[in-house]
Amino acid sequence: MELIFWWMIPVALLLAGATYWALRKGPGGDESVPRPVAHSHRLTELPEYQAAVRRHRRWLTVAAVAGGVAMAAAVVAAARPAERSTVSPEQRNRDIILCLDASGSMSSADAAVAEVFARLAQGFDGERLGLTVFDSSAVQVIPLTDDYDYVQEQLKVAKEAFDGTPGSAGFLDGTWNGAGSSLIGDGLASCVQGFPATGALTPGGTGRTEERSRSVILATDNFVSGEPIFTLEEAGSLARKQGVRVYALNPGDFDYGTDPEQPGAKLRAVAEGTGGAYYPLDSPEAAADIIRRVQSTEATAFSAAPQAAVSDRAEIPLGIALVSGLVLAGATWRLRR
Amino acid sequence: MPSLLTRVKSKMSIFAHRKARGMLDGEYGSVFKGRSLDFDDLRVYVPGDEVRDIDWKASARHGSPLIKRYVAVRRQAVLLVTDTGRNMAALSFGGEEKKDIAVMALGVVGYLAQRHGDVVGLVCGDGSSTRSLPAKAGEAHLERLLRDVNGHTGLSSPPSSLGEQLSYVARNYRQRMLLFVVADEVVVDAAMEQLLRRLRAQHEVLWLTVRDAELAGPASVRHAGGGEPADAAPADRFDVADALLLPGRLVVSDAVIRAYAAAQEQRDMKRQAVLRRLGIAHVHAGSSHDVLPAVFTLLERHRRGK
């Protein structure tokens, strides 16, 4: 808490002192000159009069205190008390798309990812979340949105679907329209396309989209069967072009040796090529841990210079001034009666 | 400075036109039964009476000698006693300074006396000193007395103490006189009552009380200034004795007004009771318009009181 126009206070004190001095010095010549009377003790000794004097004095005190407090509070408010805080905007403008491979081997890992994000969405503020499910074709289940209630609800449905809860299979409808299965490259490309184009206008048309970090959480084992339109590498370069980081989670990293043609190694190469990371997933429970790690690397990756935000905090002095002003008005009314 | 006596006389002429002309003179004359050469009454002759005082015609009708009795022509001395302390510079009930009312009352009685051929003296003063001016005849002398009272009364005068003036009279005058006391609403305490009893034994005493400004109540608002609404607070006042400020707002409550009125009535009753007990004729005057009727009533009361 600091005062922006701190010099207001000495100025106000000086003014108050000068006013007091002038009032003391100057003649008390108002329009009603007191008139001389004799035997005033005949009035002042009446208990009723003394009670009236006490009452008057009490209200005068109230009025004086309220007036003083109102003045002081107004001066403090005029000096603009402000709170200087540092905000880290990168925490607030992330876009994350969950890109989940819906092939049967992935369901437990997908369920874990969906659950983790359903929980994380509760604490989000400003981040946008999307969900795309793919197998042979990609379905955008949740477009990029900050409607966290909807996100949570959909993630819950997704988790049930991945867990194989009866009656929830419809969730994955539309993911088998293509030829083959687990077309990872196509899925990743779809996810990358789910971000708005850089430099696109905001929905309101008020200006260009602000700079937001973009990341894709890609859960896949990278076992492709079929002919994808995009290869994984092509999708990776698309992501790089769009400035999207890919974090790959692989629950089935069965690579053997250091051959770069193995699926796990390829996935790692693509993910790291976009500036993201690759995490082999030993068990679905480890997903939460990994996602936390991803979150924190995201945070550090985007830790820009913290911006100082100055917000006026005049509500307390103004509130005090209002209350004491009301008290003053009441006391003045009482004194005038 | 216009003559104070002229003011008194003009007021009296207005009054005299309203009442019967000369009535005041008659009232004044009756105070001493001092109808100078006037015939008073008849009584039965006793040996030793002046033979030339026998009213022969009345004796013839009556069958036995009767003596005409005259009141001796005698110069009365009137002593004006008043207070020229600070209290008299304060406001009266009617809003004027109390000393203006006092000067008017002293002037009326003094003028009546000097028209009657009496001599008029003055004892006035305050708590610290008392002055006396000798009893003399003539308008010029009366004017001097009035100017003395008017000039010595001000807000810078010493505090008032009427008892000082009364005891001065008791100490310094041996002659029987008519005392005309003009004071404000003094409290007649036991000591003053004693003093008045002593004075009453020697002199005729007439007493005119100048009403003080009403400190709380409707009259206090009326004088606060012209054109103010009826529910306005009275003007701020200060006490001449100690400059204590009395804010007008404090006396608007009914409780204060009632209490003040009750106390005021009690004080008035007490003063009247004491003076009546002492056989001193007493009236109130709240403004200079009240003075002439008040003096008239005072003389009337005094005559009837005998």
Side-chain angles (χ1 to χ4, degrees):
Chain A
M1 201 68 102
E2 58 187 303
L3 299 173
I4 294 176
F5 299 147
W6 58 270
W7 45 265
M8 275 282 191
I9 288 176
V11 166
L13 285 179
L14 275 178
L15 273 176
T19 313
Y20 178 71
W21 183 74
L23 284 179
R24 279 294 296 270
K25 200 84 193 218
D30 48 358
E31 68 287 351
S32 63
V33 181
R35 300 152 75 87
V37 292
H39 306 301
S40 69
H41 62 92
R42 290 176 184 175
L43 177 65
T44 54
E45 281 167 6
L46 293 173
E48 288 85 355
Y49 181 82
Q50 286 166 359
V53 169
R54 271 197 301 278
R55 208 157 47 233
H56 190 75
R57 197 165 287 163
R58 207 156 49 226
W59 281 109
L60 269 184
T61 312
V62 168
V65 167
V69 168
M71 291 282 226
V75 166
V76 169
R80 280 189 71 190
E83 202 154 27
R84 199 182 283 276
S85 56
T86 51
V87 293
S88 28
E90 77 281 357
Q91 294 290 328
R92 300 264 180 247
N93 56 6
R94 280 187 325 205
D95 289 347
I96 301 168
I97 287 186
L98 310 180
C99 202
L100 305 180
D101 185 349
S103 58
S105 56
M106 288 296 298
S107 56
S108 60
D110 288 344
V113 170
E115 191 188 354
V116 167
F117 270 93
R119 211 165 47 237
L120 281 178
Q122 292 172 0
F124 279 175
D125 177 22
E127 290 94 338
R128 290 190 293 186
L129 207 60
L131 172 62
T132 298
V133 185
F134 68 91
D135 195 350
S136 60
S137 60
V139 174
Q140 192 177 43
V141 180
I142 308 172
L144 212 50
T145 179
D146 56 1
D147 181 352
Y148 304 121
D149 289 339
Y150 173 71
V151 167
Q152 263 176 287
E153 189 185 309
Q154 287 299 311
L155 286 174
K156 211 167 285 170
V157 174
K159 181 183 179 297
E160 282 171 9
F162 292 129
D163 284 344
T165 312
S168 61
F171 180 76
L172 297 174
D173 282 353
T175 57
W176 305 290
N177 292 344
S181 115
S182 285
L183 303 180
I184 315 294
D186 289 359
L188 181 57
S190 298
C191 293
V192 168
Q193 294 295 347
F195 291 106
T198 43
L201 290 177
T202 49
T206 51
R208 301 169 86 77
T209 45
E210 54 194 313
E211 208 55 51
R212 299 176 75 93
S213 91
R214 303 167 153 194
S215 46
V216 166
I217 309 271
L218 174 64
T220 181
D221 51 7
N222 200 18
F223 283 111
V224 184
S225 57
E227 277 301 316
I229 301 165
F230 280 83
T231 63
L232 187 59
E233 286 75 19
E234 280 166 350
S237 66
L238 185 66
R240 200 164 48 245
K241 209 158 67 199
Q242 298 246 9
V244 177
R245 261 185 283 262
V246 176
Y247 294 91
L249 265 59
N250 187 355
D253 188 355
F254 304 121
D255 285 8
Y256 184 76
T258 54
D259 181 5
E261 284 306 305
Q262 292 183 86
K266 273 168 78 179
L267 193 55
R268 177 189 291 272
V270 168
E272 287 174 353
T274 60
Y278 171 82
Y279 301 99
L281 201 59
D282 299 329
S283 68
E285 289 74 36
D289 200 36
I290 287 164
I291 286 162
R292 204 172 306 121
R293 225 151 7 137
V294 170
Q295 294 269 60
S296 67
T297 50
E298 273 284 87
T300 50
F302 276 86
S303 62
Q307 287 180 5
V310 177
S311 50
D312 281 323
R313 301 302 302 271
E315 62 269 14
I316 295 169
L318 285 180
I320 292 171
L322 175 69
V323 169
S324 39
L326 289 174
V327 171
L328 178 62
T332 316
W333 175 74
R334 197 69 188 70
L335 283 171
R336 287 217 166 272
R337 280 182 40 189
Chain B
M1 180 172 154
S3 164
L4 294 168
L5 195 55
T6 310
R7 217 188 301 169
V8 171
K9 284 199 279 191
S10 65
K11 193 122 229 165
M12 284 179 75
S13 82
I14 294 167
F15 182 78
H17 277 103
R18 240 179 340 183
K19 300 267 172 173
R21 185 183 284 278
M23 210 161 170
L24 267 172
D25 288 319
E27 287 287 344
Y28 176 80
S30 68
V31 168
F32 279 108
K33 287 201 174 169
R35 270 165 287 187
S36 58
L37 288 168
D38 289 353
F39 164 76
D40 191 10
D41 60 358
L42 293 169
R43 66 167 170 77
V44 176
Y45 174 83
V46 291
D49 282 338
E50 288 260 12
V51 175
R52 62 188 168 122
D53 282 351
I54 296 176
D55 186 341
W56 295 109
K57 282 183 182 169
S59 301
R61 276 196 297 277
H62 191 252
S64 62
L66 293 175
I67 291 288
K68 264 199 249 181
R69 206 151 60 156
Y70 295 95
V71 172
V73 179
R74 175 158 71 95
R75 284 221 150 177
Q76 298 289 339
V78 174
L79 188 63
L80 307 176
V81 180
T82 193
D83 168 17
T84 57
R86 212 183 288 167
N87 273 4
M88 293 303 278
L91 295 185
S92 68
F93 188 84
E96 309 157 83
E97 279 182 49
K98 286 191 285 188
K99 76 166 181 191
D100 291 348
I101 299 171
V103 165
M104 181 60 70
L106 296 172
V108 167
V109 171
Y111 183 64
L112 287 173
Q114 75 89 22
R115 274 229 303 231
H116 206 258
D118 290 346
V119 291
V120 183
L122 172 71
V123 169
C124 66
D126 44 54
S128 58
S129 69
T130 301
R131 296 179 304 283
S132 69
L133 290 165
K136 286 185 191 167
E139 290 194 4
H141 178 67
L142 183 57
E143 174 70 21
R144 211 179 119 227
L145 302 188
L146 297 184
R147 290 202 176 193
D148 188 272
V149 172
N150 192 52
H152 279 90
T153 313
L155 288 175
S156 51
S157 308
S160 295
S161 174
L162 186 68
E164 297 289 324
Q165 283 77 57
L166 292 177
S167 64
Y168 181 91
V169 173
R171 283 196 312 273
N172 292 293
Y173 291 85
R174 295 280 160 266
Q175 187 193 351
R176 181 178 163 82
M177 288 183 298
L178 173 69
L179 297 188
F180 179 56
V181 182
V182 177
D184 65 351
E185 296 181 7
V186 292
V187 172
V188 183
D189 55 11
M192 195 184 275
E193 189 177 346
Q194 192 66 36
L195 190 57
L196 286 174
R197 184 167 287 124
R198 146 82 183 77
L199 287 172
R200 180 73 185 83
Q202 185 182 352
H203 309 286
E204 303 286 333
V205 183
L206 302 180
W207 190 295
L208 185 136
T209 293
V210 179
R211 304 219 70 144
D212 269 296
E214 192 178 39
L215 296 178
S220 64
V221 178
R222 205 172 56 225
H223 313 132
E228 287 194 34
D231 59 342
D236 295 346
R237 271 86 50 97
F238 70 94
D239 192 350
V240 291
D242 50 9
L244 175 78
L245 185 70
L246 304 170
R249 302 195 181 294
L250 293 182
V251 294
V252 293
S253 86
D254 282 344
V256 173
I257 291 173
R258 259 199 310 273
Y260 179 77
Q264 174 74 26
E265 197 183 340
Q266 207 178 359
R267 275 195 301 275
D268 285 351
M269 301 275 279
K270 201 176 155 211
R271 183 169 51 250
Q272 272 165 356
V274 170
L275 292 177
R276 189 177 301 128
R277 197 158 64 229
L278 294 169
I280 295 174
H282 170 240
V283 283
H284 288 122
S287 72
S288 52
H289 301 296
D290 295 348
V291 166
L292 277 162
V295 168
F296 187 81
T297 313
L298 184 65
L299 296 172
E300 184 86 21
R301 269 186 199 160
H302 186 75
R303 194 164 55 110
R304 263 193 275 118
K306 282 195 151 175

